[in-house]
Amino acid sequence: MTNSINRSAGLSRRSVLRGATALGAAALILPAGMRAASAEPKKGGILRIGMGHGSTSDSLDPGSWDNAYSQVFATSRHNYLTEIDADGALQPEIAESWEASADAATWTFKIRQGVTFHSGKALDAEDVIASINYHRGEDSKSAAKPIVDGITDIKSEGSHTVVVTLDAGNADFPFIMSDYHIAMLPAKDGAIDPTTTDGCGPYVVDHFEAGVEAKMTRNPNYWKSDRAHFDGIELLPIVDGAARQNALISGQVDVIDRVDLNTVHLLKRAPNINVLSVTGSQHYVFPMDSRAAPFSDNNVRMAMKHAIDREELVEKILNGYGSVGNDHPISTANRFHAGDAIEQRTYDADKAKWYLKQAGMDSIDLELSVSDAAFGGAVDAGVLMSEKSAAAGINLKVTREPSDGYWSNVWMKKPFVASYWGGRPTEDWMFSTAYKSGVNWNESFWENARFDELLAAARSELDNDKRREMYVEMQGLVRDEGSTVIPMFASYVMAHTNAVATPEKVAPNWTMDGFRIAERWWFA
Amino acid sequence: MAHVWRMIAQRLALGFLTLFVVSLLIFGATELLPGDFAEAILGQSATPETIAAIRRDLGLDQPFHTRYVSWLGGVLQGDFGNSLANGQPVIELITKRLGNTLFLALYAAAMAVPLSLALGILAALFRNSIFDRMSNALALTSISFPEFFVAYILILWFAQSGMFPSIVRLSEGISFGETLYRCFLPALTLTLVVTAHMMRMTRAAIINLLASPYIEMARLKGMSPIRVILRHALPNALAPIINVVALNLAYLITGVVVVEVVFVYPGLGQLMVDSVSRRDIPVVQAVALIFASAYVLLNLTADVLSTLSNPRLMHRR
Amino acid sequence: MSTLISILWFAVAVVGAMALGWLFRALVVAVLPQRRAHEMRKAPLTASFGILVILVYVLVAVFAPVIAPFGESEVVGGEFLPWDSTYLLGTDNLGRDMLTRMIYGARNTVGIAFIITALAFFVGTVLGLLAAVVGGWLDQGLSRSVDVLMAIPSLIFSLLLLTIFGTSVLSLVLVIATVDATRVFRLARSVAQGIVVMDYIEAARLRGEGKWRLITREILPNAMAPLVAEFGLRFCFVFLAISGLSFLGLGIQPPTADWGGMVRDNATLITFGDLTPFLPAGAIALLTVAVNFVVDWQLHKSSGLKE
């Protein structure tokens, strides 16, 4: 059993520790006093958050939360079985503890006692089962269906124990239960109501109008005594980047996300404004369709990978708010990142030419389909790539596709496109989502027998050293044989006024402190 | 007058035909767009099974004509259906936003129409003077900046100092004066955007008439220039002016999505664009019908007024 | 104080522009043959300034590759470099030379805008006048079709069509021209309707003049003024339409430089008082003002007013 998956109830008694984040393994090593000395969270105030997402067609249905607005809103009113802390380690939330069978295929979750929903209903195993089942099954309309597909059976043992059976061993299963879709909602007759705002999270929803605002007040019966410091939350969708920045400067909101990277250096100069940047697992990718020529030839793919100036992309597209990628999707925030074991790939026009020659070509014409729907700056990134790859004999024609319909019409339809991944907390989750042969979101249609074999073996392997070895080999495979260019990891860049205080470490797994700004931050 | 009443009746009937054709066109065009609601809502997370499940659930697997006929049947009975995205009744989603949109349009029009008429008349009166050239150049400059750019400049000047709010938040129970204050920047942006067009048309239409013999005559009789313009030129220049005003009013109702986005104003334009990108057909259709009705009604009003202003059209043979 | 300084600068700009206009007029008068020169001599300073600006834009557009110091999409240095002797207007967010982008932008934007406006006016005017003259079913048919098209907000209309037909320059031109033509049609029709009931048209009809002759000889000259005024504005609306479409990712394809897209890309800078987006926006504004100064002159001439 690894440290992260076998966590006894005693370790997580949060009340003895101060602050919001000091709960990972690191906290046990640090002298406790150091953290206690840093700013003491204060109660009070209404936090106004300006989000760069949110539209009039957002809904309360957990299966449809597809943008950061819905996700932060969900996390403000709901709890999950498990929580990922700022250090990327797994923490108990509604599940007090969990145990795996020896093959990691059966998981037993102990559900926390004494948790109530905003409506006053007490949470028990039935609610947990209904909340998970909502995403499963033939008729599921949930975007989270693929990640719970591995569950073959789920049942309760008594009122506060849930037993989940998987079709195969998965050492990271409790991580999956922290996914933002799988919120704990109250069950009625064995099913949840997907249109309810009722939850057991830190804030109670007073008012929600899609695309306009959400207003919430603190849940007086919240079971975590050291979280949820604000009296209330106002969550506003401000999609236009300049409008968002100006709302912050003029004091109409306290925090914004998705700071416009073109002007972040100017925003920094504004008085009373702090820019907050966290580097995490979010990365921008350019998948190439490996099923057909020319990308069926690995030499062409390698040529492309060498013809990209990653440093320039990070500097100009991300304005330095990010780090270079090494053509595999595992970030430094992950446990088994290869680190120095794999050499960083750099721009090398000669090498690219050499690979092209191996493929029997002197030059090649390629078309790259991009849109800012894939990620902000994708079109500009394409232009920069095309300027640099020309020296290697790769004539890259950049086509800007309409943002509207990009995911259904261009992505996984055209041979060379732009895409992004928010990243996943575990290697297995990331790899089996987008790199395993034949899975739905394998955007490059890449197939590699050795990779699939390692993925299956690592999934049920409980020995950390062996897992590391396997995951490092897989990162190398994706880097050198894979069909995806992964030039950069993008930071989450937020800004807030001086009145707002944050924990010492802000979670890098998602924007807004892992979506949990509402319960983790406070007014100084 | 009977002629005018007949024209109104005829045009209203034609208006309904227009609405019908618009609904068919929009339905068809949304159909032709790549992807449907199921694919749009799932985006990057789509799998074939979940897409099929959503389509089954919402009846999107039915053929085009079946869905259109059932939508039309509902509308004829006053039922605009529910939003595909969040299940709310479309009427409920739209009512409040329609009010907001009309409020902003009227607010901007109340500033822009008198301003542009006055400027246009003055420019015609003092034609070719430095006043004429300057007001023209300024109006043209403001119109040649994209809306979002005008909005940003106003934000820089008026919002960063805290004089006016940069995002509009319309809470329940705020006074009318407060609402006017909070909506000032978007209304001013729209005013700047539409003024030049109406002003220049007013000026051009008046100047166009100034060489006519009857104006010549009035002048020779020793009438003051302002009186000549107001009493003799303006009434005959009304038709093109009314037309351009109607066109701009229609624009203020239907075309202000960019301003709505920048000032986070909860109007219909934003709802329309969001719903198009989600392929939320019932909402798209309802908003399109509102926009089309606004256009048809304003147009009809303009035509009626033009007819009334021109005796020759009144008594057409 | 700063207001005073801005007013001073503004005055200097106005005086400078007028001086340029005067110089240019003197030059043209000297160069042109006698009869043409006479007309030009009477042109107001604003009009000659307008002609000068248009001429400069056209020259820049035609000779863009010769004038531009760098290649259109060439990355020449770091991002947002300040104005200096190498990069006269600095560099943009990708490190491309701003001056070069502006020069190529003139070629692409002005060219496309001109084609679109000309197309829209040709189609719109012909159909509008025809509808007014022929009347009856043709008028009803055309007017109602135009009503349907105009009843759909233009941004939504363009969004739908461009998403369906793709975003090549050709479809961009056709879609915006269609949208604009409907507006021109309405104006042309309503103006012509006012003219058609005039006595001299009645007389021409009785003389047995054909429809085409009636339109080109009798109605068009008298409907010209509002149409010309509209042309000046429509021309600049095209820039705005392109800019609005790049807001939705449907504008001109990268790395082609166009002013509308450049305003949009740099617009956020203005909220920090950075003047970069004023370059493309100002270029559009200057051209708009120049075109309309010339339009005003023509309007004045055609109105027959002597003062």
Side-chain angles (χ1 to χ4, degrees), chain B residues 10-11 14 17-18 21-22 25-26 29-30 32-34 127-128 130 132-134 136-138 140-141 143-149 152-153 155-156 160 193 196-197 200-201 203-204 207-208 210-211 216 219 239-240 243-244 247 251 254-255 257-258 261-262 269 272-273 276 279 288 291-292 295-296 299 302-303 310 312-313 316-317, chain C residues 10 14 44 46 132 140 144 146-156 159-160 163-164 183 186-187 189-191 193-194 196-199 202 222 225-226 229-230 233-234 236-237 239-240 243-244 247-248 260 263-264 267-268 270-273 277-278 281-282 284-286 288-289 292-293 295-297 299-300 302-305 307:
Chain B
Q10 195 188 18
R11 288 289 294 276
L14 281 169
L17 189 66
T18 306
V21 177
V22 166
L25 274 182
I26 297 278
T30 320
L32 284 176
L33 287 179
R127 56 198 167 276
N128 304 338
I130 189 90
D132 178 24
R133 304 282 191 227
M134 280 301 118
N136 251 315
L138 286 180
L140 288 168
T141 308
I143 204 181
S144 50
F145 288 167
E147 286 162 25
F148 57 85
F149 194 57
Y152 290 166
I153 296 175
I155 286 177
L156 172 70
Q160 285 189 354
V193 166
H197 194 197
R200 286 191 54 81
M201 197 45 81
R203 179 185 179 278
I207 288 186
N208 193 35
L210 285 185
E216 231 23 76
R219 266 199 273 201
N243 259 301
V244 79
L247 209 61
Y251 175 78
T254 65
V257 57
V258 173
V261 169
V262 173
M272 176 85 167
V273 169
V276 167
R279 313 282 186 265
F291 285 168
Y295 173 78
V296 166
N299 226 341
D303 282 0
N310 189 338
R312 286 198 189 82
L313 281 175
R316 198 169 184 177
R317 274 146 292 184
Chain C
F10 184 69
V14 170
T46 46
Q140 282 295 340
R144 298 297 79 82
V146 164
D147 270 356
V148 168
L149 291 186
M150 286 185 77
I152 304 169
S154 56
L155 197 68
I156 304 288
L159 169 83
L160 290 175
T163 314
I164 294 170
R183 273 74 180 163
R186 252 194 80 82
L187 181 74
R189 178 179 167 275
S190 88
V191 171
Q193 269 196 330
V196 164
V197 290
M198 294 280 185
D199 295 334
E202 210 55 42
N222 287 296
E230 181 78 4
L233 286 180
R234 281 285 147 216
C236 103
F237 285 168
F239 295 104
L240 301 185
S243 159
F247 198 77
L248 300 172
V263 179
R264 150 115 189 83
T268 31
I270 192 66
T271 60
F272 293 98
F278 262 113
I284 297 174
L286 185 62
T288 311
V289 172
N292 282 285
F293 275 162
V295 163
D296 283 351
W297 175 41
L299 272 184
H300 187 71
S302 74
S303 73
L305 283 173
E307 77 236 56

